[in-house]
Amino acid sequence: MRRMSDELEEALENCITLLEKREESMKSCLDRYPDLRESLEPLLRTALAIEEVLPEVSPSATFKKSLGVKLDIVVKNKRKELILSKKASRKGFSLPAFLYPRKNILAPALAAVLVFAILSTGTVVASANTLPNSVFYPVKRAVENVKVILSIGAQDKAQTYLELSEKRLNEAMTMANINNEKLVENSILSMDANLKKATEAANDLTGSERQEFFEKLSKFIAHQHLALEEIHGAVSGPAREAVVCSLELNQKVYEQTNLALYPTSSSTRNDILKKENAGFVEGKEVATVSAGEELSEGTQLSDDKIQAKGVTFFKTDLSLFSPNGDRIKDICKINVNAAPEQDLWVDIFSEEGESVRSNLKPVENLLSKGSYKTSWNGKNNAGKVVLDGIYLLKLKGEDGNYVSLTTKVGVDNTAPASPDLLNPKENEEISGYSWVTLSWSSVPDAEKYILQYSGNSDFKGANTIDDLGIFYSISVFEFSEGKWHWRVKSVDNVGNASDYSFPRTFTIQRETVHNQTTSS
Amino acid sequence: MKDKDLSKLVERARKYDSEAFGLLYERFVSKVYGYIYYRIGNRVEAEDLTAQTFLKALDAINRFDGQKASFLTWLIRIANNLTIDYFRLKGRRVEVPLEQATGNCGFCDTEEIALTNIVSERVMALTSRLTGEQRQVMILKFNLHFTNGEIAKVMDKTEGSVKSLQHRALSKIKKVLKEEDGLL
């Protein structure tokens, strides 16, 4: 004889299916099972209630699009690998099946064999476009090493190392696009090593060879600076640290290049400006003459100075930023579209019209002529972080006259208020449930909350949940029996964080777990 | 999309045809995301796990067997495994997003709609009282509208077990509601 609960389960399943298909109303469905009606009805009402609170949700359009792009790249790379492996197999490089998986345990040895094959037979298996996540990448690197060894003379070596730096930069960008941070880090470290070697080799150059090389180097590091800024925004952890180190090297090479192209003996006012701005980019204090002030006064101008031309766009990437050193929205990027190949500068003023920062120098993107970029780290001419407020940005050309287009950016270094803890109440004793729901008051400016809980009142070794978003309630079910302390802080949309709230304590008391009942 | 068209797309995707994989992605990304979101309750992490699901699916697409399960069931199974790993790493915690329910109630009459709305504000919080498996069945059933057979494949269980889990989950929620204020 069938158990009552079996019959109820079947009736429940049938009714849910019919209701979901909109084929029957609840009433007609219940009429089918008059004996079970009393038990069935509340269960069906509960099912409907659950369906209502679980509407279909979608990821954000930005996420959907960016994941789509990333997947497209990965699929295309996989297709390339598939084609390469088929080609290799056709050309006699019939690799054992165990070499094809993504693990690169045997890759260095394989690389040596293939380089030998390439050098001796001329067959190219590893494409120059092979990416670091490919099984053939070690082959590419081995071929490059051979090329370095075969480079003769300072010019050849400098040129080869510069080319390798460019390749590693492109690889770092591609790896950042597919979120492979380890390979971003590797590519950047390798790029920096090659860039150092390129500049070392370039020091031995003289005459037109030297001039020609440093012009190329100058173009590369301008492009590299922009690319590194892009990558910086896309990665975290060690990869981001590698980008920061690389930006420092980029700055040093920039200064070295300027010195090589514009020797001190013949420095012009623009050279001084360039060097001064180089200092500003990294937020270093520059105690030399403020050439910007000299320009803005307009008294020392000669007739051959050129005004800014064709400016169509002048904006910051952020409307509000927080230069507080937490690496979250610390820098605001300034984008300019104007006629190509001209010198432009940005000056920054307070709302009262007081000059705050002078002569930030937008650099032109080599791949997109007429597109210039620079950044402001929120510091004034004395290297101090400015006060909260709205700042006006003005753009000028070589003649020191501002264009009519201006833009504004806000600086916000003020932390939001700390949340008030709501539940559990102070010293509450909790029993009966494995879950504990912690809740706190919402703070108007908060974009996310950070929660800490610990068995120790001093929060030593506390668990931190820093991805709560705007939710101000969380259920946790890992609390063991005993006393627990918890606190929350709020973080605003530019990364300013409040102090932690005054902590609260609750106690978990375990009870005997009751068997779940299956009847109504 | 017809099943035949879907299996053609999968066949093309096996050969790393980016257009085909792109179409599969477009078709299923919201469902995968929705499943993960309701399991873990955090939009950012749900997006991260959704990305991992599709990358893993791409890696394993040649092992997909259309005879054993539909493509969506297979994707949800991958998402499910990743969610289990996520809970292991994160110390099994779940956020409870107290979002207001909206939507219509099919054949419900006015009284039923009113009753359902009163109840639904609290159901999301109440589902947090369920066991992981019970909660999983609720999401697969009432958000993705999987059949018991499909749920069984995702969870590695028999259809009978799924039916029981569903019954116990609904009973538990109903019981708590009834005890607290006699709504049902």
Side-chain angles (χ1 to χ4, degrees):
Chain A
M1 190 176 167
R2 292 185 74 196
R3 287 188 302 138
M4 183 73 167
S5 65
D6 287 345
E7 286 175 27
L8 185 61
E9 278 170 15
E10 195 165 320
L12 179 64
E13 174 59 19
N14 288 342
C15 284
I16 288 172
T17 308
L18 290 167
L19 287 172
E20 276 194 338
K21 288 181 180 170
R22 307 290 194 250
E23 286 177 1
E24 271 193 33
S25 68
M26 189 187 293
K27 186 176 176 303
S28 62
C29 204
L30 290 170
D31 288 344
R32 286 167 173 251
Y33 305 97
D35 296 345
L36 298 170
R37 186 183 187 102
E38 199 182 332
S39 306
L40 192 56
E41 184 173 359
L43 291 175
L44 283 175
R45 285 196 187 283
T46 309
L48 286 172
I50 289 176
E51 192 162 357
E52 289 296 303
V53 288
L54 293 174
E56 285 191 8
V57 289
S58 294
S60 67
T62 318
F63 164 78
K64 227 172 126 176
K65 194 176 170 189
S66 84
L67 178 59
V69 170
K70 280 174 198 164
L71 286 170
D72 190 56
I73 292 169
V74 179
V75 175
K76 282 175 178 163
N77 281 340
K78 280 188 174 289
R79 189 167 171 80
K80 268 185 199 168
E81 280 182 29
L82 185 73
I83 292 167
L84 271 173
S85 63
K86 281 183 182 169
K87 277 186 183 173
S89 152
R90 277 203 300 272
K91 285 177 183 288
F93 292 107
S94 181
L95 303 178
F98 62 86
L99 282 178
Y100 282 118
R102 289 170 302 286
K103 304 287 179 198
N104 281 352
I105 301 163
L106 296 175
L110 174 66
V113 174
L114 289 177
V115 168
F116 175 76
I118 290 161
L119 293 176
S120 59
T121 66
T123 305
V124 177
V125 174
S127 157
N129 296 323
T130 302
L131 292 167
N133 56 353
S134 160
V135 70
F136 289 104
Y137 186 70
V139 181
K140 175 183 172 180
R141 294 292 294 268
V143 173
E144 288 174 358
N145 287 339
V146 172
K147 201 176 170 190
V148 169
I149 292 163
L150 295 177
S151 302
I152 298 167
Q155 189 190 14
D156 204 9
K157 277 203 188 305
Q159 184 59 37
T160 304
Y161 283 125
L162 183 57
E163 281 171 13
L164 294 181
S165 301
E166 287 172 348
K167 282 182 183 172
R168 295 296 92 82
L169 178 61
N170 290 336
E171 288 166 4
M173 289 168 76
T174 310
M175 291 301 107
N177 274 334
I178 58 169
N179 276 347
N180 192 331
E181 298 207 352
K182 184 66 197 158
L183 293 180
V184 170
E185 186 191 354
N186 290 349
S187 300
I188 284 174
L189 293 175
S190 174
M191 173 183 71
D192 285 354
N194 284 308
L195 187 60
K196 280 180 191 165
K197 286 176 185 166
T199 49
E200 279 166 19
N203 284 334
D204 295 335
L205 296 174
T206 53
S208 63
E209 281 181 354
R210 181 180 174 83
Q211 179 75 15
E212 195 184 319
F213 178 79
F214 273 103
E215 278 172 4
K216 276 186 194 166
L217 185 59
S218 171
K219 286 179 183 171
F220 169 69
I221 55 170
H223 168 58
Q224 186 198 34
H225 184 86
L226 296 173
L228 285 171
E229 277 189 345
E230 294 292 324
I231 297 171
H232 184 265
V235 296
S236 57
R240 181 176 273 205
E241 282 167 23
V243 175
V244 172
C245 289
S246 191
L247 278 165
E248 282 170 13
L249 177 67
N250 174 280
Q251 182 60 32
K252 283 180 192 162
V253 177
Y254 177 77
E255 287 164 9
Q256 191 182 343
T257 308
N258 275 345
L259 207 61
L261 291 172
Y262 312 104
T264 315
S265 57
S266 60
S267 328
T268 61
R269 185 169 57 185
N270 283 345
D271 299 333
I272 296 168
L273 276 176
K274 281 178 183 171
K275 283 177 212 163
E276 189 173 350
N277 278 307
F280 280 143
V281 171
E282 296 300 309
K284 294 171 189 164
E285 273 193 47
V286 180
T288 52
V289 58
S290 173
E293 282 173 18
E294 187 187 335
L295 276 172
S296 59
E297 284 166 9
T299 53
Q300 305 291 323
L301 296 172
S302 60
D303 292 338
D304 59 347
K305 301 301 173 197
I306 301 162
Q307 64 181 45
K309 288 177 292 187
V311 180
T312 55
F313 183 87
F314 176 41
K315 280 199 185 309
T316 54
D317 66 332
L318 300 171
S319 55
L320 195 65
F321 73 116
S322 61
N324 55 9
D326 64 356
R327 294 190 171 186
I328 302 166
K329 297 188 179 176
D330 274 349
I331 289 174
C332 102
K333 291 178 186 167
I334 302 163
N335 301 305
V336 182
N337 286 350
E341 296 176 2
Q342 57 177 326
D343 286 326
L344 300 168
W345 287 272
V346 175
D347 288 346
I348 300 170
F349 299 88
S350 67
E351 273 192 304
E352 291 73 34
E354 188 187 341
S355 171
V356 170
R357 183 71 179 263
S358 311
N359 298 321
L360 291 171
K361 175 92 176 76
V363 179
E364 188 173 9
N365 187 338
L366 289 178
L367 299 177
S368 174
K369 287 284 180 189
S371 172
Y372 300 78
K373 260 188 189 179
T374 186
S375 56
W376 182 36
N377 56 11
K379 291 182 179 173
N380 61 18
N381 286 327
K384 299 272 164 55
V385 175
V386 298
L387 298 173
D388 284 7
I390 304 294
Y391 290 85
L392 180 67
L393 280 67
K394 293 185 177 183
L395 183 72
K396 68 190 179 190
E398 204 177 329
D399 66 349
N401 290 324
Y402 295 114
V403 300
S404 57
L405 213 52
T406 59
T407 190
K408 286 181 179 178
V409 67
V411 170
D412 174 13
N413 275 328
T414 304
S418 301
D420 294 323
L421 306 189
L422 300 177
N423 281 302
K425 306 286 182 215
E426 177 64 351
N427 293 323
E428 188 171 332
E429 292 182 350
I430 299 167
S431 58
Y433 295 121
S434 54
W435 294 80
V436 176
T437 300
L438 309 171
S439 65
W440 51 93
S441 65
S442 69
V443 174
D445 294 341
E447 193 185 63
K448 70 169 186 175
Y449 299 95
I450 297 176
L451 168 82
Q452 275 196 334
Y453 58 93
S454 171
N456 300 318
S457 57
D458 58 3
F459 286 88
K460 271 186 187 165
N463 291 300
T464 301
I465 302 177
D466 61 2
D467 50 3
L468 282 164
I470 57 165
F471 296 119
Y472 39 90
S473 169
I474 179 174
S475 291
V476 182
F477 65 112
E478 63 179 11
F479 293 118
S480 54
E481 192 165 8
K483 196 174 260 191
W484 289 91
H485 309 272
W486 66 292
R487 60 187 184 179
V488 180
K489 69 178 174 183
S490 54
V491 181
D492 69 14
N493 61 349
V494 284
N496 296 309
S498 72
D499 290 333
Y500 273 108
S501 61
F502 193 75
R504 272 199 183 173
T505 304
F506 60 90
T507 306
I508 297 286
Q509 290 178 333
R510 284 272 172 263
E511 283 184 349
T512 311
V513 179
H514 299 291
N515 289 332
Q516 289 168 357
T517 51
T518 53
S519 58
S520 56
Chain B
M1 188 184 289
K2 289 175 188 169
D3 287 351
K4 201 177 164 188
D5 297 334
L6 191 62
S7 57
K8 276 183 185 169
L9 269 186
V10 173
E11 275 315 302
R12 282 170 57 199
R14 281 183 204 278
K15 292 168 189 160
Y16 303 123
D17 177 328
S18 62
E19 189 195 4
F21 197 82
L23 288 169
L24 289 171
Y25 165 74
E26 278 293 326
R27 183 169 160 79
F28 296 121
V29 63
S30 291
K31 288 190 183 299
V32 170
Y33 170 82
Y35 173 72
I36 297 171
Y37 172 69
Y38 281 123
R39 291 285 317 269
I40 67 173
N42 178 305
R43 288 185 182 273
V44 175
E45 303 230 19
E47 287 183 349
D48 186 41
L49 290 179
T50 304
Q52 286 185 46
T53 301
F54 279 94
L55 287 167
K56 274 196 183 292
L58 186 56
D59 273 345
I61 196 160
N62 282 306
R63 295 200 294 276
F64 166 68
D65 183 350
Q67 302 295 319
K68 288 185 182 167
S70 73
F71 194 70
L72 177 60
T73 307
W74 182 69
L75 280 176
I76 295 294
R77 201 180 151 95
I78 295 173
N80 186 49
N81 290 338
L82 286 166
T83 309
I84 291 167
D85 290 346
Y86 166 87
F87 282 134
R88 277 190 196 129
L89 282 171
K90 296 271 177 178
R92 292 190 66 82
R93 59 183 165 71
V94 176
E95 290 171 28
V96 184
L98 299 169
E99 291 172 340
Q100 200 73 12
T102 54
N104 298 317
C105 183
F107 274 87
C108 299
D109 62 24
T110 317
E111 193 187 348
E112 283 171 339
I113 291 169
L115 191 58
T116 303
N117 282 346
I118 294 165
V119 175
S120 58
E121 283 177 21
R122 303 173 59 200
V123 172
M124 195 65 183
L126 290 169
T127 56
S128 66
R129 306 261 175 98
L130 302 177
T131 66
E133 286 188 336
Q134 289 169 352
R135 187 178 166 90
Q136 206 174 337
V137 170
M138 293 292 99
I139 297 163
L140 290 166
K141 187 81 181 181
F142 297 112
N143 180 250
L144 290 180
H145 306 292
F146 271 26
T147 63
N148 284 357
E150 287 168 329
I151 296 173
K153 278 173 188 161
V154 170
M155 295 178 67
D156 256 342
K157 292 201 175 291
T158 62
E159 286 191 42
S161 310
V162 171
K163 223 183 268 182
S164 293
L165 278 167
Q166 174 179 280
H167 180 194
R168 283 206 294 272
L170 290 173
S171 297
K172 196 168 187 178
I173 294 172
K174 183 210 70 180
K175 189 169 176 239
V176 175
L177 286 170
K178 195 175 179 183
E179 277 173 2
E180 290 191 359
D181 43 28
L183 277 174
L184 289 167

